[in-house]
């Protein structure tokens, strides 16, 4: 599947101003990149010896899959909203970084199936089993749009904000040097503690054994 850049603009937020870039795949699906301190690379010319990308710090990058319930509605069932806002704040404070906001709701199963999975979770099933009971994969996300998005801003090395080893592995396998993994454990509450424990124990996410010792990037 191919991806192409569509348009850019300034985006003022409560965390600070970002540049917002829209990309689209050949199925018409839109993905978003927010950047701070990163210039667009001219794809038609070879890099010059005075290329500023070689002089800037390694950017702080967050790959964030869309979560309408968490990002927009402040759901307490997950940690997605706090993760997004904490990453945005951290990138603003660093002065150099990007959010790759991928339109793959519900770990890639879509909003309707995500709510169906929520209903099963309400009956006592964990987040992984709920997907499987619906005949869906535990995690259907893909990251093949990340390479073109990072190439657009000339990034081939990152400090990656993530607890998910799959994201580290994907970038590494596709030529992006992950020089540092920055842990992100925020938004923990009584409603999502079991969800986070499932991600840690059954999905391999690198989370603290004791959630109340979470590292907050914005402290």
């Amino acid at each position: 599947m191919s991806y192409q850049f569509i348009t850019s603009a300034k985006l003022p937020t409560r965390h600070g101003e970002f540049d917002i870039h829209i990309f689209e795949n050949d199925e018409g699906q839109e993905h978003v990149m927010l950047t701070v301190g990163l210039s667009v690379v001219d794809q038609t010319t070879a890099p010059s010896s005075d290329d500023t990308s070689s002089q800037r710090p390694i950017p702080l990058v967050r790959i964030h899959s869309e979560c309408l319930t968490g990002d927009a509605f402040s759901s307490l069932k997950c940690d997605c909203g706090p993760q997004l806002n904490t990453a945005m704040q951290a990138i603003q404070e660093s002065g150099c970084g990007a959010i790759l906001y991928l339109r793959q709701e519900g770990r890639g199963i879509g909003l309707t199936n995500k709510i169906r999975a929520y209903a099963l979770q309400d009956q006592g099933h964990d987040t992984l089993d709920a997907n499987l009971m619906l005949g869906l994969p535990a995690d259907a996300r893909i990251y093949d749009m990340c390479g073109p998005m990072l190439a657009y801003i000339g990034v081939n090395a990152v400090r990656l904000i993530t607890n998910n080893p799959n994201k580290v592995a994907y970038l590494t396998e596709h030529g992006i040097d992950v020089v540092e993994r920055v842990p992100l454990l925020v938004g923990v509450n009584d409603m999502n503690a079991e969800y986070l424990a499932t991600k840690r124990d059954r999905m391999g996410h690198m989370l603290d054994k004791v959630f109340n010792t979470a590292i907050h990037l914005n402290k």
Side-chain angles (χ1 to χ4, degrees):
M1 187 177 293
S2 62
Y3 298 85
Q4 62 175 332
F5 166 75
I6 303 299
T7 190
S8 293
K10 298 293 183 182
L11 182 70
T13 76
R14 65 186 177 91
H15 302 289
E17 185 175 87
F18 292 85
D19 291 314
I20 182 168
H21 314 271
I22 304 301
F23 295 78
E24 187 175 285
N25 63 23
D26 48 18
E27 294 181 348
Q29 187 180 39
E30 298 166 324
H31 301 280
V32 178
M33 180 169 64
L34 303 180
T35 62
V36 173
L38 293 166
S39 301
V40 173
V41 172
D42 186 344
Q43 306 293 324
T44 64
T45 62
S48 64
S49 58
D50 61 350
D51 185 2
T52 56
S53 66
S54 63
Q55 304 166 18
R56 69 192 180 200
I58 302 297
L60 194 59
V61 172
R62 166 74 180 165
I63 300 172
H64 189 94
S65 294
E66 179 180 35
C67 176
L68 178 67
T69 51
D71 298 341
F73 300 147
S74 303
S75 169
L76 297 179
K77 281 180 174 283
C78 65
D79 55 342
C80 301
Q83 283 188 325
L84 177 59
N85 281 284
T86 301
M88 290 174 69
Q89 184 64 36
I91 287 168
Q92 280 288 340
E93 291 174 0
S94 76
C96 182
I99 304 279
L100 309 187
Y101 193 86
L102 310 182
R103 307 297 298 279
Q104 42 189 7
E105 177 73 51
R107 296 202 302 271
I109 64 174
L111 182 59
T112 298
N113 282 326
K114 174 182 175 178
I115 302 307
R116 287 172 175 152
Y118 271 8
L120 291 172
Q121 292 171 42
D122 290 342
Q123 298 171 24
H125 303 286
D126 71 27
T127 182
L128 189 154
D129 284 338
N131 280 25
L132 298 179
M133 291 171 69
L134 292 170
L136 301 167
D139 190 342
R141 290 176 293 181
I142 59 174
Y143 302 106
D144 55 0
M145 64 286 289
C146 295
M149 294 168 94
L150 291 173
Y152 182 73
I153 49 174
V155 169
N156 55 22
V158 302
R159 298 166 55 224
L160 188 64
I161 306 173
T162 190
N163 304 317
N164 187 347
N166 291 338
K167 294 178 182 178
V168 176
Y170 183 88
L171 292 186
T172 301
E173 290 168 4
H174 289 79
I176 306 296
D177 183 13
V178 180
V179 301
E180 180 186 2
R181 182 186 73 84
V182 180
L184 180 60
L185 186 53
V186 292
V188 181
N189 63 75
D190 290 343
M191 298 294 294
N192 65 23
E194 290 188 10
Y195 160 85
L196 293 171
T198 297
K199 291 208 296 185
R200 179 194 67 199
D201 299 336
R202 301 190 63 191
M203 304 179 75
H205 288 217
M206 296 174 280
L207 299 171
D208 273 4
K209 293 295 183 182
V210 182
F211 292 134
N212 61 10
T213 63
I215 299 173
H216 291 253
L217 290 179
N218 59 350
K219 286 188 176 181

